[in-house]
Amino acid sequence: MADANDTNSITPITVITGFLGAGKTTFVNYILKEQRDWKICVLENEFGEVSIDDGLVAESLDTPEDLITMDNGCVCCSVRGDLVRTLGQLAKRRKEFDAILLETTGLADPAPIVYTIQTNPKMSDNYRIDSIVCLADCKHLNLHLDEKKPEGSVNEALQQVAFSDKILLNKIDLVTEEEKSKLKDRLRSINKFATVIETEKSRAPLDRILGINSFTMESILDYDPSFFDNQEDQKHNLELVSSVGIEFKGSLHAQWFNMFMMDLLRERAEDLYRTKGLLSFHGQGDTKFVFQGVHEQINFGPAKEPWGKEEERVNKFVFIGKNLNREELTKSLMECLYKEEEQK
């Protein structure tokens, strides 16, 4: 099996989400037309039985056979088997490509895609998720975020923002500075851990999108420390979906923490879109642990670098999802701290 840390031997996949009309196809065309440093394979899917985008994208590719189109439905739902089969067929040729772009339909939830690639050995031996990029229409996104769904249904636009590592705020030329500023504030309230990149006509700096390896357990190490500041002084977040960052000093009791996570995932997995953690465990020496999760699928293991001799043991947690209670999460996590006096 491929070494998960050897990212150079595994082909990176950038998943592009965004609501219909946000500019995903324009973005893909821009990448393929504007750059010559990367050889890219595009997996393109448009909701519905007839592909309406492959002609646009195909014009940008050097050879038509580089384009693989799946027309039978949503990539992450009914045709998940097609995704596995398609990537399986590509495995022998994958080293011809520097990267794969998986353009999803506007109604796609990326979680099943991530789950498939991370849990299917044939997939994880050959591919890794490099990043999830959400293309957001600056002029119309508020309408999608405000859309009321029937009980039990999911607001896809909220989900796409919540899952993202990068948000391309597109069509900024169609709104005022005040409208753009308010929308950016709203996006931060939903997912303050995603980088927002402003674009016109889907044109974005490629070095901030491709090959960034932002979808890793280690990526929590790169977060700005201010993300974990206490948020009690901020206005109450009225969004159904929000992001919470928690940090505190000390070392965790492994058994208690495992029980907490098992309970949390059993009760709230559907509500938890993304989770990440940086952990210190009692009795594990200088080993620093990291984890990343999408819904109930959690990857956990040692970080590449151990705790430094003078480094303070600070645990960090990121939760992005629905109906998150920061106080409850903080209290439950701090109850997992190892306490010397209780062990005597």
Side-chain angles (χ1 to χ4, degrees):
M1 182 174 287
D3 182 351
N5 290 322
D6 186 9
T7 56
N8 292 326
S9 68
I10 300 178
T11 302
I13 295 178
T14 297
V15 179
I16 302 173
T17 72
F19 227 75
L20 296 169
K24 294 190 307 301
T25 301
T26 307
F27 172 57
V28 171
N29 278 312
Y30 159 66
I31 287 178
L32 297 175
K33 286 178 176 175
E34 295 292 326
Q35 61 84 36
R36 293 291 178 266
D37 296 328
W38 293 65
K39 183 163 180 166
I40 295 171
C41 176
V42 173
L43 300 181
E44 179 271 335
N45 182 79
E46 185 67 36
F47 189 73
E49 295 183 0
V50 179
S51 173
I52 58 173
D53 282 347
D54 61 328
L56 295 172
V57 177
E59 294 175 5
S60 305
L61 289 158
D62 294 331
T63 54
E65 60 267 25
D66 282 348
L67 182 67
I68 299 169
T69 305
M70 296 170 286
D71 308 306
N72 298 331
C74 181
V75 165
C76 67
C77 294
S78 60
V79 298
R80 188 192 298 179
D82 282 8
L83 176 62
V84 172
R85 185 165 61 250
T86 301
L87 289 174
Q89 292 169 345
L90 265 180
K92 292 180 180 177
R93 296 183 55 198
R94 68 180 180 82
K95 294 198 175 178
E96 299 174 24
F97 308 110
D98 299 310
I100 290 175
L101 293 179
L102 177 58
E103 184 200 6
T104 68
T105 170
L107 301 179
D109 167 356
I113 294 172
V114 173
Y115 179 81
T116 298
I117 291 170
Q118 290 187 335
T119 59
N120 185 314
K122 291 181 181 177
M123 297 296 99
S124 58
D125 281 355
N126 295 295
Y127 305 101
R128 63 176 173 82
I129 300 292
D130 185 71
S131 65
I132 295 179
V133 178
C134 173
L135 205 54
D137 179 342
C138 197
K139 185 168 181 64
H140 299 108
L141 182 61
N142 274 318
L143 293 174
H144 292 309
L145 293 175
D146 291 336
E147 185 179 355
K148 301 299 181 187
K149 295 286 185 177
E151 190 171 346
S153 299
V154 176
N155 183 312
E156 295 87 0
L158 269 175
Q159 270 201 332
Q160 289 163 0
V161 170
F163 274 115
S164 301
D165 304 300
K166 306 281 182 182
I167 300 172
L168 299 186
L169 193 56
N170 196 30
K171 305 183 183 181
I172 58 171
D173 51 318
L174 303 181
V175 299
T176 65
E177 280 295 320
E178 182 181 5
E179 289 171 329
K180 181 180 73 176
S181 179
K182 286 182 177 178
L183 180 57
K184 289 176 73 172
D185 287 342
R186 185 174 187 183
L187 291 175
R188 275 190 287 268
S189 75
I190 297 169
N191 182 351
K192 66 177 180 176
F193 303 101
T195 303
V196 177
I197 303 170
E198 297 182 14
T199 68
E200 293 181 29
K201 298 177 180 160
S202 305
R203 302 172 69 87
L206 300 187
D207 59 356
R208 298 181 66 186
I209 300 163
L210 298 174
I212 54 177
N213 203 22
S214 63
F215 195 87
T216 65
M217 295 191 294
E218 302 265 342
S219 64
I220 190 173
L221 303 173
D222 300 325
Y223 285 149
D224 186 321
S226 65
F227 285 148
F228 300 94
D229 289 347
N230 196 311
Q231 302 159 345
E232 289 177 0
D233 58 340
Q234 296 183 7
K235 293 181 180 178
H236 179 60
N237 179 21
L238 299 176
E239 297 287 357
L240 176 64
V241 177
S242 62
S243 50
V244 171
I246 298 168
E247 69 172 6
F248 53 82
K249 301 172 187 176
S251 292
L252 298 164
H253 190 294
Q255 184 178 355
W256 296 343
F257 176 73
N258 287 337
M259 290 174 63
F260 161 76
M261 287 299 294
M262 287 173 61
D263 290 343
L264 181 67
L265 293 173
R266 184 177 63 248
E267 298 168 6
R268 300 291 307 279
E270 188 176 342
D271 292 342
L272 290 170
Y273 296 155
R274 298 286 296 270
T275 53
K276 292 187 181 185
L278 168 67
L279 315 170
S280 171
F281 284 116
H282 174 76
Q284 294 298 316
D286 293 331
T287 304
K288 181 185 293 183
F289 290 89
V290 286
F291 76 85
Q292 169 173 259
V294 176
H295 290 314
E296 71 278 2
Q297 176 65 28
I298 300 285
N299 289 340
F300 175 89
K304 292 178 182 177
E305 299 293 330
W307 293 101
K309 288 186 178 180
E310 304 299 322
E311 186 177 3
E312 194 169 32
R313 303 292 180 97
V314 179
N315 301 280
K316 297 182 179 181
F317 302 88
V318 171
F319 298 95
I320 303 174
K322 291 191 294 186
N323 301 314
L324 298 179
N325 186 314
R326 178 187 173 84
E327 290 183 11
E328 284 183 9
L329 287 169
T330 303
K331 180 176 180 291
S332 297
L333 283 166
M334 293 194 71
E335 287 174 351
C336 298
L337 281 170
Y338 180 87
K339 303 174 182 66
E340 292 283 352
E341 63 274 10
E342 294 184 7
Q343 306 305 314
K344 295 179 181 178

